[in-house]
Amino acid sequence: MPHATSPSPEQDAPANVEDSYMTDAPPAPAEDAERTGDTTDSQPLPANGAPPTLESMFDDDDDDGDEFSSSGPTKADESSQEKPQQQQPSKPKYSSPDILRQFYQRLFPFRWLFQWLNHSATPQPDFQNREFAFVLPGGAYIRYQSFMTADLFRKQCVQMTPERFEIGPQYSVNPRDRKQLRKASAFKPIMKELVFDIDMTDYDPIRTCCSGAAICNKCWQFIVMAVKVVDAALREDFGFQHILWVYSGRRGAHAWISDKRAREMDDTKRRALANYLVLTMGNEQGKRTGIKRPLHPHLDRSLKILNPYFQDTVLADQDPWHSPERAEKLLQLLPDKGLTTALQKKWDSTPDRSSNQKWADIDTVAEAGSLTTLSAKQLVDAKQDIRLEYTYPRLDAEVSKKLNHLLKSPFVIHPGTGRVCVPIDTRTLEDFDPLTVPTVTDLLQEIDAWDANHGTMSDEERAKVQDWQKTSLKGYVEYFRGYVAGLLKEESKGSKRGREEEVQEGAESMEF
Amino acid sequence: MLAVTSAPRIDAKKRAVLDARKRQFAKATWETETYPHRLNFYLTPPTGDIALEQFEEWAIARLKVLAELEACQFRNRSPAETEEYMKPVLEKYMRLSSNASRSSEVDAERKRDHYSHWTLRLAFSSTADLRQRFARLEAQLFRLRMQWDDARERRAFIDSLAMSWETVSEEEKAQWRTELKAATRVWADEEESWFKVAWENVPELVERRQCLLKRGVAYVHVREQSTMVVNEFSRQLESGLELAGRFLPRMDEDNRLSPILHHLSQSFVAPDAGYSESSSIGDITIPTAASIDGLSQHFPLCMQNLHRELRKNSHLKHFGRLQYTLFLKGIGLSLEESILFWRKSFKLVADDKFKSEYLYNIRHTYGDVGGDANRRGRGYTPYSCQKLLTEAPPSSGQAHGCPYRTYAPDNLIALLQNVGVTDRPLLQGVREDVGKQRFHIACNRVFEHAHKGDLRKVKEEGLWAASELDTILHPNGYFKRSFLLKNLGRVKAGDLGVDGPGVGRSGEGEKMEM
């Protein structure tokens, strides 16, 4: 253990609770009990030790979500590299309970996460009836956890040290009480942020630099493109404002949209919105769903955003059609026999042409008159289609379509890489480098280094500095804090307006 | 709990339509219902008195219409053909004259329409299955009638609905004209008028990118208006049915109506594309993990394709796995054998990975694990053609769905040739069907060709009832028929027939064979 200053967790627990005490959480438990009535009593307090373990035993095997439609654990089968089991033998250090406990105790921004999910500073059902699912270091998956306050949530995290946790919807009743309902159908999801998941695996057919779990700055550009296109559509077409992009910890990004209108969408609307954004590309069976002309304004705008990337990122960096086998793919995408044979001939005679040259060749060869079935206009369309195929976002749309789908929380640690799932500031999207995102072990060392450097500071001053402020997580937490503040401001405006209207109505009815 | 038991029990027969306190002030709608429009959203239940016979008669007439409409769908008639076919049927059973006709019967006709709708609504609200079917057919009927409606009367009807749309002003049109046209695909000769609604009201159009979106507002072309009205109609009806379903148990005491309603819902038995237990071949031979390879020759193309993909890659992606597991369950493969089958098929996957990632899904499909509802329903039912034809098409690496739909025609032909369908005229026919988007006609064509001889024999000897020779609408139905036809000689005579060993029919079958 490199953290000489932090003794065993049991010993420093009180001290840590002290230094990161959350102001939004009720300062005294008594007050909390008063406000929420006796519900807090029935809440299994994780601090007692026994109840959560029991819970986990029960919950684990009767999780009754219909697993074909939703939720993390089954979804993971397509991206098996992310499975913790496989990572554990090689890199167990990131998910050791000690490290996780320190992380949750000292660094995790529970306060703002709480406000973000709660849409208010005082706990309300948005947070209290919300499902959290924990993935424990042993691989156990515990669903339907819920918490009355941010502090209780934090306590349970520190106590159970989940490898990661996922956020689900707000339910009609407290998820922990779902078994007590007389009718199972009364337990239903009612609200969740609209979420998106972009994963690099979906890009494997078109990226050449890496494959599978690997990622480099070259292929990260695909995520950058996707974020730009999706973000633009969400803002301009749907009018959403509170969009949080989060690095998924390895090779993808998530989006969380917190606008009230987005949160309240049902499955039909979610599906509609997801399909609006998804562009079905050709599959291996050769069926191509033609993109209709004129292009829908959304696609037109996307293409405008993507065009520069097609030149730089796709043609230059990825060079996707360099080898003859890969060039075959390009030819398949051109629906004109005369053109493809002419191109094939040209490339056979001069084998070492780059993708950039090959792309230009299409036009020169076409101008030389080898188009047989296509008109010049159709060729332009076909080329547009190819550009879209190589640049347009590839969303894992199933994630977005269901209200009850769980998604990994921001700021948790990716068990494979140890990196923190930090939010991405879209204003400086281009500068975001996934490879420099701090890992949990880095962060803990940074705290120690800071403490060592500031040995002369008085205890009083030292107490003012919270642990996350000593690390490179600071910028990310501050960005998140700012984002959440904006969201809360908007929410309080909405509720204030609602109250004013009530008052007005009240006044009117008084006249009668 | 206490509140429930202490609530006063209301005798269903004596229950007032309105709350007693409000009743004296309510406007009496008794028999004063007027029908200004030919079309009706059926928002208010009828309140007049009718004879019990009328109650039943009117409902039966409407039921006939709905059954015919459903039959059109099963015969795969195109919308134009359906319209053609339904016109005389509607004329006969449920005439609805327009205002312009000045017929003296107008009000009586509309009353019949109104009352029969509400009667059937009661009859079909009992189960989710019936509700869904009824809502689907009623929406179709509504759409048909709206198409036939006189343009002016239709406009009057649409205007009478309280829907929140706003016309796009000329300035806005000028500002966004190109985008509006591109988004809604307006051709040169089409009317250039649009209206605005919140996008949440037109999810279907958003999904297909057929409207322009600006900050959450959808700009929709006027031609979509009728679709929106039909959608609104189904939405209202669906929620109304659910409500009726909830109230139905309280009505059960009524011994005049419930027998009629029960009878009505029972007689609504047009051929259903649903899966029936009898499509397994469990009574003839018990399929095992080892026999799937052999049986796969009887599989429809969608399943053969999955089987081939599975053998080729020793893996199938999630939706393919789901589709195939359900199909295998449908043919009678037991859970144990199914697990064995998948374990052996995924031969590149380590045991613990299989256990952690795949096993649960297989068990869930069979209803062995999962929530209460899943277990009680013994898992999912095998997918029908309709389901396969309507779900999202496979993306790269996936092989689920109906190949007639998901494959490009050339690749489809190649696939068919690979599985041994080589007859040229047949392939040409398939190509044409697929071009016209009649995917399951293509599939049936392949089936009929493969079993030409046996089918003739069955028909000539009258071994199977006509319904058993109808269009195939379910992959499991395809398999069962294919299997039985190829085993006509070998199967014990008594077991012949798609419906399995029927009690009454088995004797007949034996005679035929002898």
Side-chain angles (χ1 to χ4, degrees), chain A residues 209-281:
Chain A
C209 51
C210 319
S211 70
I215 187 169
C216 66
N217 282 317
K218 278 184 185 175
C219 49
W220 177 256
Q221 290 308 311
F222 282 116
I223 303 291
V224 172
M225 296 183 229
V227 170
K228 284 197 161 176
V229 168
V230 173
D231 198 72
L234 291 172
R235 285 180 202 277
E236 291 171 26
D237 295 353
F238 293 94
F240 296 138
Q241 287 166 10
H242 300 280
I243 306 171
L244 180 72
W245 286 94
V246 182
Y247 173 50
S248 73
R250 195 205 293 267
R251 48 162 180 182
H254 298 160
W256 296 78
I257 295 101
S258 292
D259 291 68
K260 201 169 173 58
R261 212 168 152 186
R263 298 197 315 254
E264 287 169 351
M265 280 157 53
D266 59 19
D267 282 355
T268 336
K269 287 171 196 133
R270 279 169 207 258
R271 201 189 58 219
L273 197 151
N275 286 339
Y276 177 83
L277 293 174
V278 167
L279 200 56
T280 336
M281 313 286 180

Side-chain angles (χ1 to χ4, degrees), chain A residues 299-483:
Chain A
L299 295 180
D300 198 46
R301 175 192 53 218
S302 304
L303 208 56
K304 283 199 186 96
I305 298 175
L306 294 168
N307 273 340
Y309 287 96
F310 182 73
Q311 285 301 332
D312 303 342
T313 306
V314 175
L315 291 184
D317 291 353
Q318 295 289 339
D319 201 0
W321 307 306
H322 188 84
S323 68
E325 307 85 66
R326 283 175 172 276
E328 181 75 20
K329 229 179 133 185
L330 173 60
L331 292 177
Q332 280 171 8
L333 295 171
L334 291 167
D336 187 296
K337 259 259 145 45
L339 179 65
T340 48
T341 32
L343 282 171
Q344 185 76 64
K345 216 154 92 199
K346 182 172 174 125
W347 297 343
D348 281 346
S349 56
T350 47
D352 215 32
R353 291 181 79 74
S354 73
S355 297
N356 229 326
Q357 288 164 315
K358 283 178 178 166
W359 183 248
D361 286 344
I362 298 176
D363 278 342
T364 36
V365 172
E367 274 162 31
S370 29
L371 282 184
T372 47
T373 51
L374 285 190
S375 68
K377 169 86 178 65
Q378 282 170 316
L379 180 65
V380 172
D381 290 351
K383 283 179 70 185
Q384 265 181 354
D385 285 357
I386 295 171
R387 264 184 305 198
L388 282 172
E389 170 136 13
Y390 278 83
T391 51
Y392 192 83
R394 301 183 166 207
L395 299 174
D396 183 351
E398 294 308 313
V399 178
S400 314
K401 289 179 185 172
K402 292 274 181 187
L403 182 55
N404 64 355
H405 207 294
L406 296 148
L407 190 65
K408 187 164 63 166
S409 163
F411 286 106
V412 300
I413 296 161
H414 188 289
T417 62
R419 296 195 196 284
V420 181
C421 302
V422 292
I424 303 170
D425 187 346
T426 39
R427 288 166 303 185
T428 52
L429 177 62
E430 315 278 350
D431 305 332
F432 185 86
D433 180 358
L435 303 175
T436 60
V437 169
T439 65
V440 57
T441 35
D442 291 345
L443 292 172
L444 293 176
Q445 276 164 355
E446 280 168 18
I447 302 181
D448 294 349
W450 190 93
D451 286 348
N453 286 340
H454 296 74
T456 55
M457 218 181 214
S458 73
D459 281 357
E460 208 173 291
E461 274 179 35
R462 191 193 291 264
K464 280 184 196 157
V465 185
Q466 299 199 348
D467 276 341
W468 59 266
Q469 290 172 315
K470 302 171 185 170
T471 67
S472 49
L473 201 59
K474 184 168 181 245
Y476 300 109
V477 173
E478 279 168 355
Y479 169 73
F480 186 57
R481 186 174 63 186
Y483 168 83

Side-chain angles (χ1 to χ4, degrees), chain A residues 60-80:
Chain A
D60 194 28
D61 57 0
D62 70 358
D63 107 44
D64 47 6
D66 54 341
E67 37 81 64
F68 282 119
S69 61
S70 68
S71 68
T74 47
K75 203 214 76 187
D77 64 4
E78 309 291 14
S79 52
S80 45

Side-chain angles (χ1 to χ4, degrees), chain A residues 64 67-68 77-78 80 83 236-238 261 269 271-272 275-276 278-279 283-287 294 296, chain B residues 200 203 206-207 209 211 213 215-216 318 321 353 360-361 364-365 371 380 394 396-397 405-407 411:
Chain A
D64 47 6
E67 37 81 64
F68 282 119
D77 64 4
E78 309 291 14
S80 45
K83 274 302 211 189
E236 291 171 26
D237 295 353
F238 293 94
R261 212 168 152 186
K269 287 171 196 133
R271 201 189 58 219
N275 286 339
Y276 177 83
V278 167
L279 200 56
N283 53 22
E284 268 105 59
Q285 288 86 43
K287 182 99 170 189
H296 186 277
Chain B
E200 283 94 341
V206 171
E207 185 157 9
R209 280 194 290 267
C211 57
L213 287 179
R215 305 209 147 259
H318 176 80
R321 230 159 47 222
K353 186 173 152 124
Y360 186 87
N361 280 6
H364 197 275
T365 325
Y380 302 4
S396 68
R405 169 171 169 253
T406 60
Y407 274 54
N411 297 23

Side-chain angles (χ1 to χ4, degrees), chain B residues 211-349:
Chain B
C211 57
L212 178 67
L213 287 179
K214 290 262 171 223
R215 305 209 147 259
V217 176
Y219 291 67
V220 182
H221 191 255
V222 278
R223 84 175 99 83
E224 310 289 352
Q225 212 169 19
S226 58
T227 324
M228 285 175 60
V229 172
V230 176
N231 287 343
E232 184 60 29
F233 176 83
S234 343
R235 238 192 318 264
Q236 302 258 18
L237 180 56
E238 272 160 32
S239 60
L241 278 168
E242 215 149 285
L243 209 65
R246 238 177 286 157
F247 284 109
L248 200 62
R250 299 206 208 158
M251 231 196 62
D252 273 354
E253 290 116 88
D254 195 326
N255 48 17
R256 296 176 310 156
L257 296 187
S258 48
I260 298 178
L261 294 178
H262 183 72
H263 180 73
L264 284 171
S265 63
Q266 284 293 303
S267 56
F268 197 31
V269 279
D272 195 354
Y275 155 81
S276 65
E277 286 292 318
S278 63
S279 44
S280 85
I281 50 164
D283 44 319
I284 301 159
T285 154
I286 298 187
T288 61
S291 66
I292 297 297
D293 276 317
L295 290 173
S296 72
Q297 54 163 318
H298 300 295
F299 291 179
L301 192 63
C302 47
M303 302 300 167
Q304 274 198 45
N305 184 34
L306 286 174
H307 192 78
R308 289 162 57 92
E309 286 291 313
L310 175 62
R311 288 287 173 254
K312 196 171 85 192
N313 306 326
S314 299
H315 190 266
L316 272 184
K317 291 225 174 184
H318 176 80
F319 288 109
R321 230 159 47 222
L322 180 56
Q323 177 182 330
Y324 198 36
T325 312
L326 287 170
F327 172 78
L328 294 176
K329 178 175 115 172
I331 73 171
L333 193 69
S334 67
L335 174 60
E336 291 69 36
E337 288 294 326
S338 186
I339 293 172
L340 190 63
F341 171 76
W342 287 106
R343 180 65 285 240
K344 282 189 174 161
S345 304
F346 282 22
K347 53 176 178 270
L348 306 177
V349 172

Side-chain angles (χ1 to χ4, degrees), chain B residues 281-472:
Chain B
I281 50 164
D283 44 319
I284 301 159
T285 154
I286 298 187
T288 61
S291 66
I292 297 297
D293 276 317
L295 290 173
S296 72
Q297 54 163 318
H298 300 295
F299 291 179
L301 192 63
C302 47
M303 302 300 167
Q304 274 198 45
N305 184 34
L306 286 174
H307 192 78
R308 289 162 57 92
E309 286 291 313
L310 175 62
R311 288 287 173 254
K312 196 171 85 192
N313 306 326
S314 299
H315 190 266
L316 272 184
K317 291 225 174 184
H318 176 80
F319 288 109
R321 230 159 47 222
L322 180 56
Q323 177 182 330
Y324 198 36
T325 312
L326 287 170
F327 172 78
L328 294 176
K329 178 175 115 172
I331 73 171
L333 193 69
S334 67
L335 174 60
E336 291 69 36
E337 288 294 326
S338 186
I339 293 172
L340 190 63
F341 171 76
W342 287 106
R343 180 65 285 240
K344 282 189 174 161
S345 304
F346 282 22
K347 53 176 178 270
L348 306 177
V349 172
D351 254 343
D352 50 342
K353 186 173 152 124
F354 182 82
K355 263 194 200 135
S356 69
E357 292 180 21
Y358 304 110
L359 186 61
Y360 186 87
N361 280 6
I362 301 170
R363 292 177 58 200
H364 197 275
T365 325
Y366 275 76
D368 191 44
V369 287
D372 193 36
N374 187 46
R375 291 197 209 191
R376 223 178 315 149
R378 280 182 288 154
Y380 302 4
T381 42
Y383 289 166
S384 66
C385 294
Q386 197 194 353
K387 165 92 179 158
L388 296 181
L389 285 171
T390 47
E391 67 183 8
S395 57
S396 68
Q398 296 181 318
H400 65 269
C402 171
Y404 293 99
R405 169 171 169 253
T406 60
Y407 274 54
D410 288 336
N411 297 23
L412 173 67
I413 300 298
L415 176 68
L416 280 168
Q417 282 166 338
N418 275 336
V419 299
V421 181
T422 47
D423 187 70
R424 270 181 165 281
L426 172 68
L427 290 177
Q428 191 50 41
V430 167
R431 199 183 272 276
E432 279 166 20
D433 289 336
V434 169
K436 285 188 214 145
Q437 306 238 322
R438 312 182 111 192
F439 306 114
H440 80 256
I441 296 289
C443 185
N444 275 283
R445 189 188 290 277
V446 171
F447 175 83
E448 276 162 25
H449 186 270
H451 300 283
K452 240 187 322 196
D454 301 312
L455 277 173
R456 197 180 310 124
K457 184 171 168 223
V458 168
K459 264 183 215 161
E460 279 167 8
E461 299 180 16
L463 292 178
W464 288 7
S467 70
E468 291 162 1
L469 294 163
D470 229 355
T471 318
I472 296 170

Side-chain angles (χ1 to χ4, degrees), chain B residues 99-113:
Chain B
N99 289 342
S101 73
R102 301 193 179 279
S103 152
S104 57
E105 291 290 291
V106 167
D107 265 345
E109 280 168 3
R110 290 178 188 177
K111 185 175 173 187
R112 272 179 63 156
D113 177 55

